Amino acid sequence: DAKTTQPPSMDCAEGRAANLPCNHSTISGNEYVYWYRQIHSQGPQYIIHGLKNNETNEMASLIITEDRKSSTLILPHATLRDTAVYYCIVRVAQGAQKLVFGQGTRLTINP
Amino acid sequence: DGGITQSPKYLFRKEGQNVTLSCEQNLNHDAMYWYRQDPGQGLRLIYYSQIVNDFQKGDIAEGYSVSREKKESFPLTVTSAQKNPTAFYLCASSIRGDKHYEQYFGPGTRLTVT
């Protein structure tokens, strides 16, 4: 599975959009981008995934660049409850169902 | 309510003792996983199982053992051979197959060995 690079920490004001970047320059054609988040001392929570098209669900939007070497997770109206560590993971959709978690981005939403 | 339960939330053991962490799911998922998390770090895969009576080693299986006798249960034993057992242990489950899926995580067990 391809390696990802994320900034270690970010801050965002409550009510504003939080944009979390992820670089995955070695991504292969059959690898998807997944995002999970982990609120302090809890288990991670799935947010969204995508291959090459932009995706949106009730939690967030995922923007993947045309060359697929980077992506951005967007939380449109961040709340204090969005404070968490966000993990960007790249993996194939089939085969061993292993998620490789890096250190992620610690997002702090400020009032 | 469907979900994954892990018990206990906090566990304390003396060095040299084996300890078994419980993980139960009622989501009817075939696949189950065990991860370990150290402070400030991401998760690392210990073992995973895609079907009853079958499991595979993950990246850091040494010093751990698992069993998968029932679909809903995947207990993890931390043996005395594990050199640094103090950590946050997370269990997860998912559907099995060549499709997109999300892994559902339990609340975790924080193990402290002194």
Side-chain angles (χ1 to χ4, degrees):
Chain A
D1 291 335
K3 182 179 176 180
T4 62
T5 303
Q6 299 177 253
S9 63
M10 292 182 63
D11 286 90
C12 179
E14 187 178 17
R16 304 297 292 268
N19 297 290
L20 291 90
C22 179
N23 286 323
H24 31 79
S25 58
T26 60
I27 192 170
S28 301
N30 63 345
E31 289 182 313
Y32 289 73
V33 180
Y34 286 79
W35 283 84
Y36 280 73
R37 74 179 181 183
Q38 185 177 24
I39 295 170
H40 183 63
S41 293
Q42 297 182 22
Q45 175 191 25
Y46 165 85
I47 302 173
I48 199 168
H49 76 273
L51 179 63
K52 56 183 177 181
N53 297 321
N54 297 338
E55 302 288 344
T56 296
N57 63 19
E58 65 278 4
M59 289 182 68
S61 295
L62 174 61
I63 308 298
I64 303 174
T65 59
E66 193 169 340
D67 63 8
R68 303 209 322 121
K69 293 186 176 182
S70 65
S71 60
T72 301
L73 178 75
I74 301 172
L75 308 177
H77 305 287
T79 70
L80 298 179
R81 289 163 56 178
D82 291 321
T83 292
V85 177
Y86 287 76
Y87 296 99
C88 170
I89 299 164
V90 173
R91 66 171 301 280
V92 295
Q94 62 267 21
Q97 299 176 9
K98 181 175 76 171
L99 294 176
V100 179
F101 288 79
Q103 295 192 331
T105 295
R106 182 173 299 278
L107 175 67
T108 302
I109 306 300
N110 299 307
Chain B
D1 285 338
I4 300 178
T5 57
Q6 292 184 244
S7 60
K9 189 172 178 65
Y10 298 95
L11 191 55
F12 299 88
R13 280 292 183 272
K14 294 289 187 184
E15 195 173 325
Q17 293 179 332
N18 291 354
V19 59
T20 297
L21 281 59
S22 167
C23 177
E24 304 277 332
Q25 55 97 2
N26 60 4
L27 299 167
N28 200 32
H29 286 166
D30 285 305
M32 297 185 75
Y33 316 79
W34 273 105
Y35 293 87
R36 169 187 171 132
Q37 187 173 35
D38 293 288
Q41 303 297 312
L43 282 68
R44 292 183 290 169
L45 183 67
I46 304 173
Y47 267 98
Y48 65 101
S49 167
Q50 298 194 65
I51 199 167
V52 173
N53 292 323
D54 183 59
F55 49 82
Q56 287 81 41
K57 293 182 179 179
D59 299 319
I60 55 164
E62 185 176 349
Y64 299 97
S65 66
V66 294
S67 63
R68 188 80 189 279
E69 297 176 0
K70 298 187 296 183
K71 186 176 184 177
E72 59 270 21
S73 178
F74 191 40
L76 173 75
T77 297
V78 184
T79 74
S80 57
Q82 168 52 233
K83 291 182 171 52
N84 297 296
T86 294
F88 187 44
Y89 290 88
L90 287 154
C91 178
S93 72
S94 71
I95 62 172
R96 174 175 175 250
D98 294 342
K99 288 185 177 181
H100 304 290
Y101 56 87
E102 58 181 281
Q103 289 190 12
Y104 293 80
F105 284 82
T109 292
R110 195 167 296 278
L111 173 65
T112 301
V113 176
T114 57

